[in-house]
Amino acid sequence: MKTLTFFCLTLGFFLTQTTRLQAQSFSLEAVKSYPFPTELTSSATGSRIAWAFAEQGKRNVYVAEGPDFTPRKLTNYTDDDGQEITSLSISSDGKWVVYVRGGDHGSNWDDELPVNTMSSPVSPKVQIWSVPFAGGEPKAIAEGDAPVISPKSDRIAFIKGGQVWVSPMDASSAAKALFNARGTNSSIEWSPDGAKLAFVCDRKDHAFVGVFTDEKTPISWIAPSFSKDDSPRWSPDGKRLVFVRTSGTGGAPDSILVRRHRPWSIWTADVASGIASPLWQAPKTLAGSVPSTHGGFNLHWAAGDRIVYLSYEDGWPHLYSIASTGGAPLLLTPAPFMAEHITLSHDGKWLVFSGNTGPDKLDIDRRHVVRVPVDKAAMEVVTPGAGLEWMPVVTGDGATIAMISATAQRPPLPTVMAFTKGTPKILAQNLVPASFPQNQLVTPKQVVFKAPDGMTVHGQLFEPVGGSGKKPTLIYVHGGPPRQMLLGWNYSDYYANSYALNQYLASQGFVVLSVNYRLGIGYGYGFHQPADGGALGASEYQDVRAAAVWLSEQPQVDPAKIGIYGGSYGGYLTALALARDSKLFAAGVDIHGVHDWSQQRGAGGEASTGRFEKIPDLETANKIVYQSSPISSISNWTSPVLIIHGDDDRNVRFNQSTDLVRRLDKQGVPMETLVIVDDTHHWMKHTNALKMGNATAEYFKRKLMKLKQ
C-alpha cells in the first residue's frame, strides 16, 4: 500500500512537472531556429523588393514582387560558414540584385577583412556579387565593398583598397579602377543621369567631396577647405550637391573631461563651378552636436527642392526639412520620440522610418513604422499596436510599404502593406520551423524604476510561467551602449539573439530583467549623452545596480541568487558589477567585455599627444578612466564568473579578456572560460552563438539553481 501511495504521489509529481515543462520549457536550439531578415531594399521602379535571410547560419538573398509578394529564394548558400550578406540593392530597372558576401560590417575596425569562422586553410573573400532578379547563377564581380549601382542599371561602382572601382553589372568584363585619388575614398553617389560620381576623399585631418566625370576630365573638388566634408547628395536635376561639413582635425590640446559642442553644418554647391555656400548650421549646444544615432545625418535631397536631415537639437533625434535656397527649417516630427531606419521614397516626397511612438504608452519601448511628407509636419504612425515594425522602404511604384515586423512571440519577418494602409501581409511564415516554440514564449513586461540620482530607467521583465516561491534572477545588460532593448524581438541580429536567450532562460525558471541603462537610445538626449558616462565616470552603472536592488525587493525573487550577464558594453558592466558589488551579484557571465578602458581603442584617457602642448587634465582623466574600469575594483571581486570571447573580435580587443583572466587567476576568483576560435564579436557562425548561449545558461543553472530533491 505504501508502495502504491508512493507511486501515485510520484506519478502526480511527474505529471505536474511534465505539464509545467510542456507549457514552458524548450531548447535554445529551438528558440534560435527562426530565420532572421536583414538588408530590406526596393527597386526605384515597379514593386520589387529584396532582403537577406539568416536561416540557422545559412545566409541567402530572397526577393518578392507585387501584387502578391510571394517570397522566392535567389541564392543557395548551404553552409553555416559565417559569411554575412550586406549592401543589398536592386538596380533601378529591377532586373539585377547586387550584394556583398563576407566581412564583419558591424565591427569597429577591419570590417572589410574576411571572416574565417571555419578555420579554413584558404580564407574566404569579401566579394561583390550580382544575380538576375528573375533568377540565375550569381556572378562574382570582384573583391571589394560598398557597391552602388548606376541609375542606368549597367555598372557597379565600389570601393577596393580605399579607391573607387567599376564593373559591368553582368560581370562580362573584369572590374577596373575607375580613378585614383590620394587618400581613402568612400560614400559613392552616382548623379541622377549616371554620368558623374560624387565621393568623399578622406585625407586624415581633412576630407573633400570630389566629382568624377571621366578618365579625361580632372576630378572636381567641391569647395575644398581645412574641414571634413561628408555625405554628398545630388539634386534631382544633377546640377547641385548638398553635403555636411564638420571641423578638421587639429587645434590646441583641450580638456578631456569637459563636454563640448561638436559643430556641423549643411552646404550646397554648384557642381559646374565647385562653389559652395552654407545652407544651415547646427545650434551651438550639446544637443545640437553631430548626431550619433542610426544613419547619422540622414541627409537627402528631396522633392520640392527641399533638403531633409536629422538633428538632436531639441533633445530628440528628429527629422527636419529646409528649402535648398535657405530659410527656416521645418520640424517634421514634433513629438518626444526618436526616428531611425530612415529612408526617402523613390519619388522624394515621403520619409518613412521606425520610431518609438504611437497611441500606447508602452510604445516608447517598441518600434512602429511612421511616415511624413518632406514638406509638411504631418507624421502618421501607420502600424500602431502591440507589435514591432522597422526598416521600412517604399516600392518604386509608391504603392507599398515593405518592412520587417515581429511581436513578443513571432520572430521578425518581412511584411508588406498598402501605402494607403490596410492589413499588413506577413511574408515567408512557412520558413519558421515547426520546432520554433512561438506559443511558449512569454510577453516581457515594461518595468520602470529610479536610479539613485533620480534618472528614470526602463526595463523588460521576463517571468517564468508557473511555479511558486522565490526564483533565481538574472539581469541582462545590452551592449553598444547606444542600443535599446524592446518589448519584443529586436531589429538587430545580435540583440535578437539576446532576446531569444532571455526567453530560453525564462523557460528554465529564471526571472530575467533586461535593463535599458543611460547611454542607450530611445529616451532623449539627456539619457543618451549623460554626464560622467562610460570611461569618464561610469554613471550608467548606478542604473544597473538600481535594477538589482529593485529586483531584490520583488516577492518572486530570491535576493541571494541574482546573477548578471551581458556582451560587449554589457560585458563591461557585468564585470564592473562583479568587481564593485559581489555581495549583490552572486555570479556573472562576462561576454567580450571591456575591462581596462585605457587599453581599448577610443577611450577617454589617451596618452600624451607627443606635442610640447599637453592635455590640461590628462592626469585627472587617466585616473577617472582607471576608476571607471573593472580592473580598478578587482580586489573586491569574489563572485564566480564565466568569461567568453571570440578571438577574432573586431569591436573589443581579445586582450581585454586575456588581461582579466590573469588578474582573476592571481586573486583566486572562481572562474571558467570559453574561447571561441576565429569568430568575431557578432557570432557570425550560428553554432557559435548557440555555444555561447548554452554555456551561459548552463553556468547560471549550476551557480544559481539547486537540484530539487
Side-chain angles (χ1 to χ4, degrees):
M1 188 66 178
K2 290 181 179 180
T3 303
L4 180 59
T5 302
F6 175 78
F7 173 79
C8 291
L9 290 173
T10 303
L11 179 60
F13 175 82
F14 174 79
L15 291 175
T16 300
Q17 294 302 306
T18 300
T19 301
R20 186 182 71 82
L21 290 172
Q22 287 177 342
Q24 186 184 4
S25 186
F26 46 82
S27 68
L28 182 62
E29 286 75 7
V31 76
K32 275 282 293 162
S33 66
Y34 57 87
F36 190 84
T38 61
E39 299 289 313
L40 181 64
T41 189
S42 64
S43 61
T45 57
S47 60
R48 295 184 168 184
I49 62 173
W51 66 92
F53 254 147
E55 300 174 75
Q56 300 177 50
K58 298 176 282 292
R59 297 171 171 90
N60 282 287
V61 175
Y62 281 73
V63 296
E65 184 176 7
D68 296 330
F69 291 102
T70 301
R72 178 165 49 87
K73 190 175 181 180
L74 199 58
T75 61
N76 191 36
Y77 300 113
T78 59
D79 294 328
D80 173 21
D81 56 8
Q83 303 307 301
E84 69 175 357
I85 290 176
T86 56
S87 296
L88 182 66
S89 58
I90 307 175
S91 60
S92 294
D93 62 9
K95 294 181 179 179
W96 293 91
V97 176
V98 172
Y99 59 95
V100 172
R101 188 167 189 265
D104 180 2
H105 291 81
S107 65
N108 292 338
W109 60 83
D110 292 343
D111 57 348
E112 78 286 356
L113 296 183
V115 172
N116 188 9
T117 63
M118 306 287 282
S119 300
S120 172
V122 179
S123 176
K125 300 176 181 179
V126 180
Q127 289 180 300
I128 298 165
W129 295 76
S130 71
V131 58
F133 186 95
E137 192 67 24
K139 295 183 179 180
I141 298 295
E143 292 185 55
D145 210 345
V148 182
I149 304 173
S150 164
K152 294 181 179 180
S153 303
D154 59 342
R155 293 187 295 169
I156 305 169
F158 61 95
I159 301 297
K160 181 178 180 180
Q163 296 297 323
V164 180
W165 286 55
V166 70
S167 168
M169 178 68 71
D170 59 2
S172 56
S173 61
K176 64 178 183 178
L178 188 60
F179 60 87
N180 186 277
R182 182 171 58 86
T184 301
N185 301 291
S186 63
S187 303
I188 305 167
E189 292 284 330
W190 289 98
S191 61
D193 62 1
K196 295 181 173 65
L197 204 68
F199 64 99
V200 172
C201 182
D202 187 343
R203 297 185 175 179
K204 295 185 178 180
D205 66 338
H206 63 286
F208 301 142
V209 169
V211 175
F212 169 82
T213 301
D214 56 45
E215 294 177 352
K216 298 180 180 180
T217 305
I219 292 170
S220 173
W221 300 109
I222 305 298
S225 73
F226 293 93
S227 303
K228 288 191 172 184
D229 296 340
D230 198 5
S231 303
R233 302 289 185 267
W234 292 90
S235 63
D237 62 8
K239 296 180 179 180
R240 293 173 291 169
L241 283 169
V242 63
F243 61 92
V244 168
R245 175 160 287 179
T246 60
S247 300
T249 303
D254 207 344
S255 168
I256 294 172
L257 298 175
V258 175
R259 299 201 296 166
R260 60 184 62 84
H261 169 68
R262 295 178 59 208
W264 64 290
S265 55
I266 298 174
W267 290 59
T268 56
D270 176 73
V271 173
S273 67
I275 297 174
S277 58
L279 175 67
W280 173 86
Q281 183 169 329
K284 296 179 180 180
T285 63
L286 286 177
S289 297
V290 171
S292 57
T293 54
H294 183 268
F297 307 109
N298 285 280
L299 187 68
H300 297 281
W301 200 310
D305 210 25
R306 297 193 69 83
I307 309 300
V308 296
Y309 62 94
L310 181 140
S311 174
Y312 227 141
E313 64 194 74
D314 69 349
W316 293 89
H318 278 159
L319 291 167
Y320 295 78
S321 80
I322 185 172
S324 69
T325 53
L330 172 64
L331 173 59
L332 298 175
T333 55
F337 74 95
M338 74 173 297
E340 58 182 348
H341 310 136
I342 300 156
T343 59
L344 181 69
S345 62
H346 293 288
D347 62 9
K349 296 180 179 180
W350 292 87
L351 291 163
V352 292
F353 58 93
S354 60
N356 57 335
T357 186
D360 191 324
K361 66 179 182 179
L362 299 180
D363 286 332
I364 193 169
D365 291 320
R366 297 190 181 114
R367 290 293 184 274
H368 294 306
V369 170
V370 188
R371 67 182 178 194
V372 65
V374 299
D375 59 353
K376 185 166 50 176
M379 55 168 267
E380 180 184 13
V381 179
V382 298
T383 60
L388 303 97
E389 302 84 27
W390 59 84
M391 208 181 290
V393 296
V394 180
T395 54
D397 58 11
T400 304
I401 300 176
M403 68 197 80
I404 296 172
S405 73
T407 69
Q409 284 77 34
R410 178 179 61 77
L413 290 171
T415 302
V416 293
M417 67 179 295
F419 191 82
T420 54
K421 300 202 323 184
T423 303
K425 178 181 179 181
I426 303 166
L427 310 182
Q429 294 187 77
N430 63 304
L431 296 182
V432 179
S435 61
F436 180 77
Q438 181 166 321
N439 295 331
Q440 297 169 269
L441 303 188
V442 301
T443 300
K445 301 175 183 176
Q446 183 195 69
V447 298
V448 181
F449 52 91
K450 294 279 189 180
D453 65 354
M455 180 72 80
T456 299
V457 182
H458 286 227
Q460 299 81 41
L461 188 67
F462 300 74
E463 294 187 280
V465 176
S468 60
K470 294 183 179 293
K471 298 178 175 64
T473 303
L474 300 173
I475 290 177
Y476 168 71
V477 196
H478 68 72
R483 304 286 184 267
Q484 183 186 20
M485 299 304 290
L486 307 171
L487 293 169
W489 289 89
N490 199 276
Y491 50 78
S492 158
D493 55 353
Y494 185 97
Y495 295 109
N497 184 58
S498 301
Y499 183 80
L501 181 52
N502 286 339
Q503 287 281 1
Y504 173 65
L505 290 166
S507 80
Q508 299 301 298
F510 290 96
V511 175
V512 182
L513 176 59
S514 176
V515 181
N516 284 340
Y517 55 89
R518 75 189 74 183
L519 291 179
I521 58 174
Y523 307 105
Y525 183 84
F527 192 88
H528 180 37
Q529 299 286 353
D532 306 324
L536 300 181
S539 62
E540 67 279 10
Y541 174 65
Q542 62 185 303
D543 304 339
V544 177
R545 192 181 192 284
V549 173
W550 180 87
L551 277 170
S552 68
E553 297 169 349
Q554 305 309 305
Q556 74 275 37
V557 169
D558 184 344
K561 296 181 179 180
I562 297 177
I564 183 169
Y565 87 100
S568 193
Y569 206 91
Y572 157 65
L573 287 171
T574 293
L576 201 61
L578 297 172
R580 291 184 176 181
D581 286 297
S582 274
K583 292 182 180 179
L584 183 58
F585 297 98
V589 177
D590 171 358
I591 306 165
H592 44 230
V594 174
H595 311 119
D596 179 359
W597 280 119
S598 67
Q599 299 300 316
Q600 175 70 7
R601 177 183 292 187
E606 292 89 348
S608 172
T609 62
R611 300 161 62 176
F612 178 79
E613 297 174 292
K614 304 303 179 184
I615 298 171
D617 58 359
L618 179 61
E619 185 175 350
T620 301
N622 282 340
K623 182 178 180 180
I624 292 174
V625 166
Y626 173 72
Q627 292 172 340
S628 301
S629 301
I631 61 167
S632 69
S633 302
I634 206 162
S635 62
N636 302 316
W637 188 327
T638 58
S639 294
V641 63
L642 168 63
I643 298 172
I644 304 175
H645 215 132
D647 86 323
D648 190 20
D649 197 317
R650 305 172 187 188
N651 292 73
V652 174
R653 300 187 183 282
F654 188 76
N655 65 9
Q656 289 283 335
S657 292
T658 303
D659 179 76
L660 182 66
V661 166
R662 292 290 301 275
R663 294 172 186 263
L664 294 178
D665 185 56
K666 183 177 181 180
Q667 188 166 305
V669 173
M671 173 181 54
E672 298 178 25
T673 62
L674 173 61
V675 173
I676 298 181
V677 179
D678 283 338
D679 209 339
T680 73
H681 199 73
H682 298 100
W683 311 128
M684 307 297 283
K685 190 175 181 182
H686 177 76
T687 52
N688 285 340
L690 289 174
K691 183 184 295 184
M692 178 277 298
N694 277 318
T696 299
E698 292 305 314
Y699 186 78
F700 282 129
K701 287 178 190 178
R702 286 189 282 113
K703 297 300 179 182
L704 300 180
M705 280 186 169
K706 290 183 178 180
L707 294 175
K708 292 184 178 180
Q709 299 299 322

